[in-house]
Amino acid sequence: MTSPASPAAGPAVVAAVSTGSTGTFGASSVASVPLTPVFVRLKLSLLRNGLKGSSKRKAAYFSSLAFALVVGFFITLGLALLHGHARAGTVVVLLAAILALGWAFVPLFFAAGDETLDPSRLVMLPLRPRPLVRALLASSLVGIGPLFTLCLAVGSVVAVARGAAGAVAAVVAAPLLVLGCVTLARAVATANVQLLTSRKGRDLALLSGLVIALGAQLANFASQRLFEAGGLATLEPAEAVVRWLPPATAVGMVDSVSDGAYGVAAAQLALTLAAVAALLWSWERSLTKLMVAPDGSTIAASRPAKDRAEGGLWALLPAGRTGAAMQRTLRYVVRDPKTKAAWVGALAFGLIVPVFNALQGTGSVYLGCFGAGMLGIQMYNQFGQDTSAFWMVAQTISTTRDAYVELRARAAALALVMVPYTVVVTATTAAVLGDWSKFFAATGLALALLGAMICTGALASARYPYSIPSDGAFKSVAPGQGGLAWAGLLGGLLVSAVIAAPVIALTILLNTGEHQGISWIVLPLGVAWGALATWAGLRLSAPTVARKLPEILWAVSKG
């Protein structure tokens, strides 16, 4: 659904439109030239020019095109083979809904890959919204995404079309499905254009991998449950609802016509056309608002700045350096894209793995330790997460005491999230399994492991700091520092297991012997052991930070 584009899309439109005039460029000349063919030629030019001078971009684009064609061909063939199957309608109607859902949300995650999704580049041109909508819609139908969608649409309607009436309905339904998907994507992208071009939009792009991974886990779990519950027949209630949700109604219309339900088919066709018309109206309205309303950059200066450092939940933090460092650490989690992506990934997968295993009947309450381990990793490379801004923090560290307070505040900020999260994950897993007898022991073990990882994370941050590049979305280590990163992480994990070994041994002993009734004692012992490990790690790390501060500053500033 994306294509290479150029930042000069606006000037290119001016040049393209002006060539159709008599030589004098102005509003009248723009209005006299049909925009649709101009924008289609512009889209093709952007595609062609985006491939010039870059062999990697050419290879990526043509490999994507080949992959889409091959996958689209086999999916279309598979759908066509469903022709005559009793559950074919269920499959293709739900597939159409999933396809539309993908078109609605993919632009929010990958907007940076297609700059033509940003209509704000055209706001300074003398173009009317309605012709502009038609032109943008036509140009949006050019690309790999629409081609792949057309393949799936053709396969879907072939699977359910029966008889002459069904064939005629299929000819109408396939382009309607593609049109509905593309219009939905453009309407969503235009309504959220300020989000897509802002820092929050870039945050969404960083989190796209997490959403895809989470979706894969959900799809895997759903498929397992589906076949365990009796196959496609269990999806019929959902399909009965989805076939009345546009644009899946286009495929449902073909199925209804093939069954002879012409009244139902007419209603579904009317609903599809009404939905496309409503999306076009919403798109035009958003485009009009975008072209005439001021954006945030023009009105921000008129609003008084608010100092939020002293208000809200921040007021609950301790005063002095400790509170300031805790607030800085938590703000990084909320505002820095890479830190946010790492935290959201850890929070999500730390919950998904134990809960999904529990739902599948193969889990254990002790898998709650996985969530503690995922979050414990966030303590590693604390100074590298500050990137080059660490030099400001370094100016405030002159003694071992300063270093200890800094590390203690960072650990406390992380513990504000880690400890409640660990308890919640363990409790959720125990609730799903219905095994509360091991909850206290599992929670104590998880908190002991968490304290051990905070200990080793502080030590690794002091001894093995490395820089996190700011230029690449998926680069987490600067070139030449990969060895430092792996040494700190792998060594820290091994040492964490050794530190938590006494609590692990106690838990095993209480659960395999005749003392299961007192396994709850692992909870207070685990909390105490984790707190002791955290205190020892901070104490041992502080002298190293104070002594090696120039080296740490140099290492984290390389990116």
Side-chain angles (χ1 to χ4, degrees):
M1 302 176 195
T2 60
S3 60
S6 168
V13 175
V14 175
V17 175
S18 61
T19 55
S21 63
T22 59
T24 303
F25 178 72
S28 59
S29 62
V30 174
S32 63
V33 177
L35 285 181
T36 301
V38 171
F39 270 69
V40 172
R41 291 197 303 269
L42 174 62
K43 182 64 174 289
L44 294 174
S45 298
L46 291 175
L47 287 171
R48 182 175 60 253
N49 295 336
L51 300 176
K52 290 182 178 179
S54 176
S55 56
K56 291 183 179 179
R57 183 173 292 181
K58 287 181 181 178
Y61 181 78
F62 286 111
S63 61
S64 300
L65 177 61
F67 179 78
L69 289 175
V70 171
V71 173
F73 171 77
F74 282 106
I75 292 179
T76 303
L77 181 62
L79 292 173
L81 292 177
L82 288 175
H83 183 76
H85 192 278
R87 309 295 182 192
T90 301
V91 174
V92 296
V93 168
L94 293 177
L95 177 63
I98 295 173
L99 189 63
L101 194 64
W103 271 95
F105 286 100
V106 164
L108 296 179
F109 293 123
F110 299 101
D114 188 357
E115 292 174 347
T116 62
L117 286 174
D118 183 7
S120 62
R121 299 176 182 274
L122 308 174
V123 297
M124 298 303 294
L125 301 179
L127 303 174
R128 296 183 181 276
R130 183 160 297 180
L132 185 58
V133 165
R134 291 196 296 265
L136 288 173
L137 178 60
S139 63
S140 299
L141 295 173
V142 179
I144 298 177
L147 178 62
F148 181 76
T149 304
L150 180 61
C151 292
L152 268 62
V154 171
S156 297
V157 297
V158 168
V160 293
R162 297 184 302 276
V168 173
V171 173
V172 177
L176 266 182
L177 178 59
V178 177
L179 185 64
C181 290
V182 174
T183 306
L184 176 62
R186 282 294 184 171
V188 171
T190 303
N192 295 277
V193 65
Q194 293 181 344
L195 169 66
L196 299 179
T197 55
S198 66
R199 185 194 63 190
K200 292 183 179 180
R202 293 189 291 272
D203 292 350
L204 285 174
L206 285 174
L207 299 178
S208 59
L210 170 64
V211 174
I212 294 173
L214 178 59
Q217 290 289 334
L218 291 173
N220 178 52
F221 177 72
S223 62
Q224 292 181 4
R225 290 298 181 186
L226 174 64
F227 290 107
E228 291 176 1
L232 295 174
T234 58
L235 294 177
E236 287 186 351
E239 182 266 343
V241 176
V242 171
R243 66 167 50 235
W244 290 99
L245 299 178
T249 46
V251 179
M253 180 262 295
V254 180
D255 193 28
S256 299
V257 168
S258 301
D259 291 338
Y262 298 112
V264 173
Q268 290 171 328
L269 176 61
L271 190 58
T272 305
L273 294 175
V276 172
L279 286 172
L280 289 173
W281 175 82
S282 175
W283 183 8
E284 181 182 349
R285 184 179 179 183
S286 298
L287 194 59
T288 303
K289 181 179 178 181
L290 179 68
M291 298 177 76
V292 301
D295 59 11
S297 62
T298 61
I299 60 178
S302 62
R303 294 179 178 175
K306 296 182 179 179
D307 184 8
R308 301 181 183 177
E310 302 297 333
L313 296 177
W314 300 122
L316 301 177
L317 298 178
R321 177 181 185 132
T322 299
M326 291 178 66
Q327 184 176 155
R328 176 183 1 104
T329 301
L330 294 173
R331 285 188 183 274
Y332 276 148
V333 175
V334 175
R335 293 184 176 182
D336 181 66
K338 289 192 174 182
T339 305
K340 180 188 293 186
W343 269 85
V344 173
L347 291 169
F349 286 106
L351 179 64
I352 289 172
V353 171
V355 171
F356 271 53
N357 277 276
L359 288 171
Q360 294 173 355
T362 59
S364 168
V365 180
Y366 291 100
L367 274 178
C369 296
F370 180 81
M374 290 294 295
L375 282 189
I377 294 176
Q378 307 309 313
M379 184 63 190
Y380 288 71
N381 195 35
Q382 273 295 301
F383 306 125
Q385 295 176 19
D386 294 359
T387 62
S388 58
F390 178 66
W391 73 270
M392 300 180 67
V393 179
Q395 303 301 314
T396 67
I397 300 177
S398 57
T399 64
T400 299
R401 176 64 182 175
D402 293 336
Y404 173 75
V405 173
E406 177 69 26
L407 286 170
R408 184 185 63 185
R410 291 173 182 250
L414 301 184
L416 285 178
V417 180
M418 292 176 175
V419 173
Y421 173 83
T422 301
V423 175
V424 168
V425 170
T426 310
T428 303
T429 307
V432 174
L433 291 172
D435 187 5
W436 289 99
S437 62
K438 299 177 181 177
F439 168 71
F440 295 106
T443 303
L445 179 59
L447 293 177
L449 177 63
L450 182 60
M453 295 196 69
I454 293 177
C455 167
T456 56
L459 292 170
S461 297
R463 296 179 179 274
Y464 303 103
Y466 57 90
S467 175
I468 300 178
S470 57
D471 55 346
F474 301 100
K475 295 180 181 179
S476 57
V477 183
Q481 293 185 322
L484 283 174
W486 283 109
L489 180 59
L490 296 179
L493 293 177
L494 292 175
V495 175
S496 297
V498 173
I499 294 174
V503 182
I504 296 174
L506 176 62
T507 305
I508 295 174
L509 177 64
L510 293 178
N511 281 278
T512 57
E514 300 178 355
H515 307 288
Q516 296 185 14
I518 61 171
S519 61
W520 59 267
I521 199 173
V522 178
L523 177 57
L525 292 178
V527 172
W529 190 262
L532 178 63
T534 298
W535 175 82
L538 298 178
R539 281 294 183 185
L540 293 173
S541 303
T544 304
V545 173
R547 185 178 66 255
K548 299 177 60 177
L549 191 60
E551 299 176 24
I552 296 174
L553 182 59
W554 177 83
V556 303
S557 301
K558 286 187 66 176

